[in-house]
Amino acid sequence: MLTLDISQLRSFLPQDGLDAYEERLKQAATWISTHTGPGGDFTGWIHYPREYDKEEFARLQAASKKIQQQSQVLVVVGIGGSYLGARAVIELIQSPNYNLKQKDTPDVYFAGNGMSTDALLETIELIGDRDFSVNVISKSGTTTEPAVAFRIFKAMLEKKYGKEGAKDRIYVTTDKAKGALKGLADREGYQEFVVPDAIGGRFSVLTPVGILPIATAGVDVEALMAGAAQAMEELSTPGMDNPVWQYAAARQALYDQGKKIELLVGCEPCFRFFAEWWKQLYGESQGKEHKGLFPASVEFTADLHSMGQYIQEGERLMFETVVQFAPRGNITIPNDPENVDGLNFLSGKSLSFVAQQAMQGIILAHVSGGVPNIRIQMPQISAQSVGYLIYFFELACGLSGHLLQINPFNQPGVEAYKNNMYALLGKPGYEQLRAELEAKFH
Ligand code: PA5
């Protein structure tokens, strides 16, 4: 399903440079698959494509059908790992223009992923007087951004449909036992889905966190899980022939050589949000103890006209990981009898052929400019291939996090801003911190 090409690392790494990481990868793979080692409590995603709760999955599919029948809009309230995966998959498979398309599934709007008043007002305006449902997603159940947005949409639903009617349109995805959202859902009798204990937000796209919105948008979620299960089987073989071991080792080898940035290169506009998901996965997993590659993203060829100069000739800080999918259709470039633009040498050729040649040229130029290149080639975008790619990147993230010798599965740095915000907003229990922060400001 996935082909990894690391041939363009040759001029940057010593011969057999990746083999040096084999023993540490063996250790990392064992830690992850046996739920041991640093962060072992949060490796529930490793066998999830085989072990997920099938009864809950059926309930998710039934809920998505009900939303499709009952509503023209689904509002997905969540932030970080509680929304990026769903948005990434919907945009990649169904299009970033999904909401604009003629379809028999609801529009999906994402809210509660920031503090923008204007964005929230716009979402409310876009819903208009259409029927809508809400899926609020928060593992902790206490994150401020989604909690505030949920208050607003819950009040709107209750105003429009009454308390009982609103209850029939609210779906809560949260911890199985704790958190304010869990308490509210139990009290109000909302339909609930569980974020598994052993899976952190950024690894949760294949759990109910992602599945309910993704299924509501009409994606074949069984095929998505089947793709992930295929990856789980194929990528579990130990050894340096395994592409996920190669990718994890290559990232670390380049980091050890002084590279500071990994640029994820997409070739499709619909890949942009997948890159956002990937950035969270790697940034939040590996940016620790003053270590880690900075995950950035670009889209080729569009961004060659904005970032291409820097990539070719700026600081030699980065390497590229290009992800290419086979096209889902075909466009042939027409002949122009007058050949005004001088492009008749392309007449009759397919646009995808031109794109392939362009990518080849870009890679060679960047490599000769000092930017190592890793290339991932995928078949057409489909639920199956996307499920496979998600699992590939999750596993590579865990493995390469262990090579970096950090705990890839916690996120202590995210708490710092949350605590400051609670203190400054006057949350009870944060008085001492508030006094300390105020002293710093004055
Ligand atoms: O990946 C993570 O752990 C974070 O991005 C969380 O998903 C994010 O902070 C939202 O947290 P919660 O789901 O608890 O509201």
Side-chain angles (χ1 to χ4, degrees):
M1 173 85 81
L2 175 151
T3 307
L4 183 84
D5 180 357
I6 50 169
S7 60
Q8 295 303 331
L9 299 182
R10 265 196 298 264
S11 51
F12 300 94
L13 297 177
Q15 220 187 356
D16 301 332
L18 300 189
D19 293 348
Y21 297 91
E22 183 164 7
E23 278 312 304
R24 285 162 63 197
L25 279 166
K26 204 178 284 174
Q27 169 75 88
T30 305
W31 275 342
I32 294 172
S33 64
T34 57
H35 311 297
T36 55
D41 287 352
F42 283 92
T43 48
W45 48 272
I46 186 77
H47 299 131
Y48 191 80
R50 183 177 64 215
E51 291 174 354
Y52 66 93
D53 180 340
K54 311 294 182 303
E55 182 275 329
E56 185 177 47
F57 195 81
R59 279 201 303 119
L60 285 161
Q61 287 179 297
S64 72
K65 292 269 170 314
K66 181 170 164 191
I67 297 168
Q68 287 168 350
Q69 282 155 12
Q70 213 173 29
S71 290
Q72 294 154 287
V73 176
L74 172 66
V75 181
V76 179
V77 176
I79 194 166
S82 290
Y83 103 102
L84 281 165
R87 184 156 181 189
V89 171
I90 293 170
E91 293 207 3
L92 185 52
I93 297 175
Q94 300 292 56
S95 164
N97 301 315
Y98 167 79
N99 284 344
L100 300 175
K101 286 187 161 182
Q102 287 278 4
K103 57 190 180 299
D104 49 17
T105 49
D107 284 354
V108 177
Y109 298 134
F110 292 92
N113 51 54
M115 294 270 188
S116 164
T117 302
D118 288 0
L120 196 55
L121 284 172
E122 187 183 62
T123 303
I124 293 167
E125 186 192 334
L126 286 169
I127 296 169
D129 57 10
R130 291 184 291 168
D131 285 316
F132 72 104
S133 299
V134 173
N135 178 202
V136 55
I137 308 167
S138 177
K139 181 169 179 166
S140 64
T142 55
T143 309
T144 309
E145 292 91 334
V148 167
F150 180 56
R151 268 194 182 209
I152 291 161
F153 287 107
K154 176 173 169 288
M156 281 172 59
L157 281 172
E158 287 178 353
K159 187 163 174 229
K160 188 171 167 107
Y161 301 104
K163 221 167 160 47
E164 274 306 302
K167 185 176 125 183
D168 201 35
R169 292 170 176 274
I170 293 176
Y171 301 82
V172 173
T173 309
T174 191
D175 189 87
K176 71 172 184 312
K178 58 180 192 307
L181 185 57
K182 169 70 184 161
L184 177 70
D186 286 352
R187 205 168 50 247
E188 301 283 344
Y190 299 146
Q191 181 155 181
E192 294 179 42
F193 299 101
V194 174
V195 188
D197 280 343
I199 302 184
R202 58 191 175 277
F203 287 84
S204 69
V205 52
L206 300 174
T207 74
V209 170
I211 294 299
L212 184 58
I214 292 169
T216 303
V219 173
D220 180 348
V221 285
E222 289 186 16
L224 188 76
M225 297 306 287
Q230 185 184 345
M232 189 185 81
E233 291 305 327
E234 291 179 9
L235 302 175
S236 64
T237 314
M240 293 313 294
D241 291 338
N242 183 332
V244 82
W245 283 40
Q246 289 177 0
Y247 176 57
R251 298 181 82 248
Q252 186 63 30
L254 292 163
Y255 182 68
D256 289 344
Q257 297 244 329
K259 295 299 179 199
K260 299 281 183 230
I261 297 171
E262 179 175 9
L263 266 185
L264 188 74
V265 180
C267 308
E268 312 287 333
C270 61
F271 190 77
R272 280 183 194 168
F273 247 88
F274 195 90
E276 295 303 314
W277 168 82
W278 176 91
K279 284 194 269 191
Q280 188 206 1
L281 182 64
Y282 282 79
E284 207 167 84
S285 298
Q286 301 192 355
K288 286 164 195 166
E289 300 175 28
H290 299 178
K291 297 196 271 190
L293 286 159
F294 182 82
S297 63
V298 286
E299 184 196 320
F300 287 172
T301 59
D303 292 340
L304 288 174
H305 299 262
S306 53
M307 298 302 291
Q309 173 62 36
Y310 191 102
I311 296 169
Q312 189 69 43
E313 294 183 353
E315 282 255 27
R316 303 299 71 194
L317 296 166
M318 65 188 74
F319 67 93
E320 293 172 333
T321 299
V322 175
V323 179
Q324 277 180 298
F325 288 90
R328 289 189 272 195
N330 185 43
I331 292 178
T332 303
I333 298 171
N335 187 53
D336 175 4
E338 290 173 27
N339 197 21
V340 185
D341 52 14
L343 286 179
N344 268 355
F345 67 100
L346 296 178
S347 302
K349 300 214 161 51
S350 71
L351 185 55
S352 64
F353 169 79
V354 176
Q356 275 295 343
Q357 301 313 304
M359 187 51 78
Q360 200 78 20
I362 294 160
I363 290 172
L364 293 175
H366 288 179
V367 167
S368 59
V371 180
N373 188 278
I374 299 171
R375 197 171 182 184
I376 293 172
Q377 281 176 300
M378 298 293 296
Q380 291 179 356
I381 295 169
S382 67
Q384 183 118 5
S385 64
V386 171
Y388 194 107
L389 191 62
I390 287 170
Y391 191 90
F392 173 87
F393 278 130
E394 288 183 347
L395 180 53
C397 183
L399 292 172
S400 63
H402 283 313
L403 292 184
L404 194 60
Q405 295 179 308
I406 45 89
N407 173 353
F409 307 118
N410 63 3
Q411 53 284 329
V414 182
E415 299 310 315
Y417 111 87
K418 283 190 185 174
N419 290 338
N420 284 358
M421 184 173 68
Y422 292 150
L424 292 169
L425 289 170
K427 186 170 177 173
Y430 288 77
E431 295 77 7
Q432 171 71 28
L433 180 57
R434 181 180 181 145
E436 286 166 22
L437 294 173
E438 282 180 346
K440 282 187 191 160
F441 266 115
H442 295 116

